[in-house]
Amino acid sequence: ELAAEVDEKIVKQFPKTDGALRAFNQLAALQQAQFSQSAEAIKTYERLNDEYPYAADAPSNQSAIMNAYAQLNKADKVRKEVRRLIDLYSPNGVWAQKNTGNQRVLDRAFEVVEEELAKLVTEQHRAAQQTKLKETYLLARDIYKEYLDKFTATDNAYRFQFFYAEILYELKEFEAAAKSYVAAVKQNPSGEFSKPASYTAVLAWEKVISGEKEEVSQKIVEGKRGKSKGALKKLEELETLEKGKRYDATELVANEQELANACDLFVEVAPDDAEVVKVKFKSARLYYIHNQFEEAAKRFGEIIDRWPKDALARSAAESILQSFNVREDWSQLQIWSRKFRDHELLMADKTFQ
């Protein structure tokens, strides 16, 4: 009530003048500085933007409204005001048109929107990790998306793409997470987050393909990536081929192709990582189970050449030989048999001989 009285006095004393604008801004800033008056600050900033919609400070005022709702833990309001911030102060919006000719104001507006969204999403992500509450993760997810849809070439874009993927993974939104991880890697293949991003993209696509549904609890515990089990474990198995049976090649379905691409991306980004041989085997297996034996053999062959002492090298060699043997492709069988015979490290495994 007191704030409303002050508002009316300002309007009467400085109707639609720079003095009123300054007075409103000072009042709103004072209110926002006191957490107990966040609701009053919102009203004051809203009135400011109603009275002076094209003022240079309008983007900052809208940011203040957004942040005040965040202080009040009103997630739906935050989402709404984030959207308003982006819509109202975009380069093609009415506010920008009204300020045409004042490039400094336009540039500053872009900076304000980016900086305030970056600050808010960072705070919300931190809150999610601290509270472990699903609803805080959902809000962080939504703000990350708004930011990344708007800003693709800022200093924050790469790391926010990765953090967005991390949030999606914890919310069990594995397909969206996988795509976001891959997008982060492609933005900066040598960046600090690209190795974990490319590896987790593989895990996420595996979860999508497995078809297993995972429920999101109200309390989220991060970092539990776990070992393969159930349907996931089946994705690591190779069928024993039978002589006399037809093995016509089939295409990988879309999600399998995405997994194969993710595997290749990880090998490219982290060629010396301890998990590379396993990831390479996963991609070879995808082509193998679709009877694309020549493509599978290329990948299995790389495993044998690079990691001849690894147990997977023996499995790779056996798979190659079996694929050509059951189909009676004697020419290819002879080529690969000779290659293996001359491979000292592979042949050092007496059980393979």
Side-chain angles (χ1 to χ4, degrees):
E1 292 179 2
L2 179 59
E5 292 178 14
V6 174
D7 284 355
E8 292 307 320
K9 288 180 180 178
I10 292 172
V11 171
K12 288 178 181 178
Q13 187 172 356
F14 309 106
K16 291 274 187 174
T17 64
D18 290 342
L21 184 58
R22 286 194 298 273
F24 269 126
N25 272 315
Q26 290 170 0
L27 174 62
L30 286 171
Q31 290 169 332
Q32 192 168 31
Q34 301 180 48
F35 177 77
S36 62
Q37 293 194 45
S38 291
E40 295 301 327
I42 290 169
K43 293 178 183 177
T44 304
Y45 280 122
E46 285 177 340
R47 181 154 189 179
L48 261 171
N49 279 1
D50 285 344
E51 296 282 343
Y52 310 92
Y54 309 119
D57 287 333
S60 296
N61 297 337
Q62 178 59 30
S63 297
I65 294 169
M66 174 185 75
N67 289 322
Y69 276 123
Q71 279 187 305
L72 295 171
N73 294 319
K74 294 185 178 293
D76 288 341
K77 290 288 189 181
V78 173
R79 290 184 178 91
K80 176 184 175 183
E81 300 307 329
V82 165
R83 174 44 45 195
R84 280 177 60 81
L85 178 68
I86 292 171
D87 289 344
L88 289 174
Y89 307 107
S90 66
N92 299 320
V94 176
W95 180 89
Q97 292 172 14
K98 293 289 186 180
N99 283 278
T100 299
N102 194 337
Q103 194 59 45
R104 184 185 63 80
V105 169
L106 293 175
D107 290 344
R108 181 55 190 152
F110 184 88
E111 291 172 5
V112 165
V113 174
E114 192 278 330
E115 289 170 1
E116 291 298 326
L117 280 178
K119 183 176 74 172
L120 177 64
V121 76
T122 300
E123 291 171 352
Q124 289 302 315
H125 196 156
R126 187 182 301 116
Q129 291 174 318
Q130 290 173 347
T131 65
K132 311 296 184 188
L133 295 175
K134 176 183 174 182
E135 62 188 40
T136 57
Y137 278 84
L138 291 172
L139 180 56
R141 176 201 64 186
D142 294 344
I143 302 174
Y144 272 130
K145 186 178 187 309
E146 292 282 11
Y147 181 98
L148 292 166
D149 285 346
K150 174 72 176 176
F151 303 101
T152 57
T154 64
D155 292 340
N156 289 314
Y158 166 65
R159 64 189 184 94
F160 280 4
Q161 190 75 60
F162 174 70
F163 294 152
Y164 177 48
E166 292 279 86
I167 288 280
L168 290 167
Y169 195 97
E170 298 303 339
L171 289 169
K172 317 297 185 190
E173 297 178 27
F174 296 119
E175 183 171 350
K179 291 177 179 178
S180 188
Y181 281 125
V182 170
V185 177
K186 289 184 176 179
Q187 281 186 47
N188 186 359
S190 59
E192 63 176 308
F193 303 112
S194 291
K195 181 176 173 180
S198 58
Y199 183 69
T200 316
V202 172
L203 301 183
W205 279 120
E206 283 189 307
K207 285 182 176 291
V208 172
I209 293 170
S210 76
E212 286 195 343
K213 301 298 181 184
E214 297 187 31
E215 296 297 325
V216 183
S217 63
Q218 293 304 312
K219 278 276 190 178
I220 292 176
V221 180
E222 288 192 3
K224 286 192 173 182
R225 302 289 154 103
K227 294 183 178 180
S228 298
K229 57 183 179 180
L232 277 176
K233 191 67 177 175
K234 290 180 181 178
L235 295 178
E236 300 174 0
E237 299 172 356
L238 282 174
E239 176 189 354
T240 300
L241 303 181
E242 300 175 19
K243 224 168 186 181
K245 184 176 178 181
R246 285 183 61 88
Y247 290 97
D248 296 325
T250 58
E251 295 297 320
L252 277 65
V253 300
N255 288 339
E256 289 175 322
Q257 188 62 62
E258 293 285 4
L259 174 56
N261 294 343
C263 289
D264 292 343
L265 185 63
F266 175 69
V267 173
E268 180 184 335
V269 169
D272 300 319
D273 190 87
E275 296 296 308
V276 165
V277 61
K278 295 177 184 176
V279 172
K280 176 63 76 172
F281 193 87
K282 288 177 190 290
S283 66
R285 176 195 170 277
L286 283 168
Y287 291 98
Y288 192 83
I289 64 175
H290 279 276
N291 305 329
Q292 295 186 35
F293 297 117
E294 284 73 16
E295 184 63 34
K298 292 176 188 176
R299 293 161 187 261
F300 283 138
E302 185 178 346
I303 292 171
I304 295 164
D305 289 340
R306 291 184 60 186
W307 302 278
K309 293 183 179 180
D310 194 287
L312 289 175
R314 176 184 169 183
S315 297
E318 289 174 342
S319 297
I320 291 173
L321 295 178
Q322 183 183 142
S323 69
F324 292 117
N325 182 45
V326 299
R327 292 179 300 141
E328 299 182 352
D329 188 340
W330 310 126
S331 174
Q332 284 296 317
L333 182 62
Q334 189 175 46
I335 290 171
W336 283 99
S337 296
R338 286 174 178 172
K339 182 177 180 179
F340 297 157
R341 185 187 61 196
D342 296 336
H343 204 303
E344 292 182 6
L345 291 176
L346 180 64
M347 297 306 291
D349 184 347
K350 302 301 182 184
T351 59
F352 178 65
Q353 298 179 34

